[in-house]
Each structure stands twice: as structure tokens, then as C-alpha cells.
């Protein structure tokens, strides 16, 4: 299964780009050999790591979970056709307190903060529609928790 993280980050958190990219690559490598059924081929999680100024919260919305069985979209910049098949995504973000801790603490602490954020986000899987019958949600949750426990140390 494909597992990807889409990152939105601000200048203040640039010192954590390497950590987040490493985290993303580790998750991608871990899940590429996993199979949880035929209903989901790809999961994308949008991670927002931005110190959001008061009054600009609307620019960094948390999007509700979305499942796409099949859809073709066109990239508005390139005109390229993109095919989404058995695709699930949702977004998460660090709150003000977590953001400050993440940016200002060590990479080891950063791993723990990211891991906790991802564990907390697993409830988004409960939003999968009823037509997603062949996806072992519990095994996926257990695997990601196990991975994150090892990753965060």
C-alpha cells in the first residue's frame, strides 16, 4: 500500500524538514510491502506544521477525511490528468503548543511529537464509508502504532 505525507511548513520550522522527510520516507518504506485488503491502495495525510497567526486560521483548514473509489482530475497548472483509485486522505496539524515544542526541542522529542500526532489521527479511519468493505482497519492501526512506537523510541 502506498502511504504518503504532504507537508505544509513555515520558515520557522525549516530546521525540522529533514526529520519530517525522514519520517515520511520511513512510513512509505514500511507500508509499501503491506496489504490490508483491496479497498484502499493509497493513503495520503496532509501535515501542516505552521505557526498560524491569529486571524489566518482559515488558510490552514483541517480537511475532513475523503475516500475516492475512482476519479480523474486535471492538474490546473500543467493540464496533466491524474487518476485517483482507492485513495483515502485527511489532514492534520500541530496545535500552537505542539508546534512550539516540535520546533524548539530535539529531533528525538520531535519524533515523539509527530508519532503522537499520527496516533491521535487514526480516528479519521472511522470516517471510511460503508462501501470500503475490504480494508483491515484494525490491522492497519496496530501496524502504524507499532511502527510509531519503534520510530519514536
Amino acid at each position: 500500500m502506498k502511504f504518503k505525507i504532504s507537508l505544509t511548513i513555515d520558515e520557522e520550522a525549516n530546521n525540522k524538514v529533514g526529520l519530517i522527510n525522514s519520517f515520511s520516507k520511513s512510513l512509505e518504506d514500511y507500508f509499501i510491502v503491506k496489504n490490508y485488503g483491496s479497498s484502499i491502495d493509497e493513503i495520503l495525510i496532509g501535515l501542516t506544521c505552521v505557526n498560524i497567526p491569529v486571524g489566518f486560521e482559515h488558510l490552514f483548514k483541517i480537511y475532513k477525511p475523503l475516500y475516492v473509489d475512482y476519479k480523474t482530475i486535471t492538474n490546473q497548472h500543467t493540464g496533466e490528468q491524474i487518476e485517483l483509485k482507492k485513495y483515502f486522505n485527511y489532514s492534520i496539524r500541530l496545535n500552537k503548543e505542539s508546534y512550539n515544542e516540535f520546533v524548539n526541542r530535539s529531533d528525538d522529542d520531535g519524533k515523539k511529537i509527530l508519532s503522537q500526532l499520527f496516533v491521535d489521527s487514526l480516528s479519521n479511519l472511522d470516517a471510511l464509508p460503508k462501501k470500503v468493505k475490504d480494508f483491515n482497519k484494525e490491522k492497519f492501526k496496530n501496524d502504524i502504532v507499532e511502527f510509531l512506537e519503534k520510530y519514536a523510541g
Side-chain angles (χ1 to χ4, degrees), residues 10-151:
D10 64 7
E11 178 100 16
E12 188 179 344
N14 261 349
N15 64 326
K16 298 297 182 183
V17 168
L19 172 69
I20 296 169
N21 286 340
S22 171
F23 177 70
S24 179
K25 180 72 171 127
S26 296
L27 279 167
E28 196 175 323
D29 291 345
Y30 179 77
F31 282 105
I32 196 69
V33 297
K34 302 283 185 179
N35 185 341
Y36 299 97
S38 62
S39 292
I40 296 179
D41 290 338
E42 182 175 356
I43 294 179
L44 173 74
I45 299 176
L47 170 62
T48 301
C49 184
V50 175
N51 188 5
I52 303 170
V54 175
F56 290 89
E57 296 86 359
H58 65 283
L59 297 175
F60 300 96
K61 292 180 191 175
I62 296 289
Y63 293 98
K64 62 183 179 179
L66 172 71
Y67 175 76
V68 176
D69 188 43
Y70 180 83
K71 184 178 184 178
T72 305
I73 58 175
T74 303
N75 181 314
Q76 62 184 348
H77 303 292
T78 65
E80 174 188 9
Q81 292 287 315
I82 301 168
E83 196 173 68
L84 300 177
K85 288 193 271 189
K86 299 178 182 184
Y87 168 87
F88 181 65
N89 80 334
Y90 62 90
S91 62
I92 56 177
R93 72 174 177 223
L94 293 165
N95 64 31
K96 193 92 155 151
E97 181 182 322
S98 296
Y99 172 87
N100 289 329
E101 288 180 22
F102 180 69
V103 169
N104 295 312
R105 291 200 178 178
S106 70
D107 280 358
D108 286 340
D109 288 339
K111 288 179 180 181
K112 291 175 184 166
I113 292 166
L114 277 180
S115 294
Q116 189 59 54
L117 181 64
F118 274 74
V119 167
D120 293 345
S121 80
L122 292 176
S123 61
N124 283 290
L125 291 167
D126 297 334
L128 284 167
K130 291 186 185 341
K131 67 180 173 184
V132 177
K133 295 182 192 280
D134 187 22
F135 179 71
N136 191 336
K137 182 170 47 172
E138 293 310 311
K139 181 166 177 18
F140 175 79
K141 285 181 178 181
N142 290 338
D143 282 355
I144 199 165
V145 167
E146 180 182 313
F147 170 86
L148 294 170
E149 285 174 352
K150 288 179 185 173
Y151 179 80

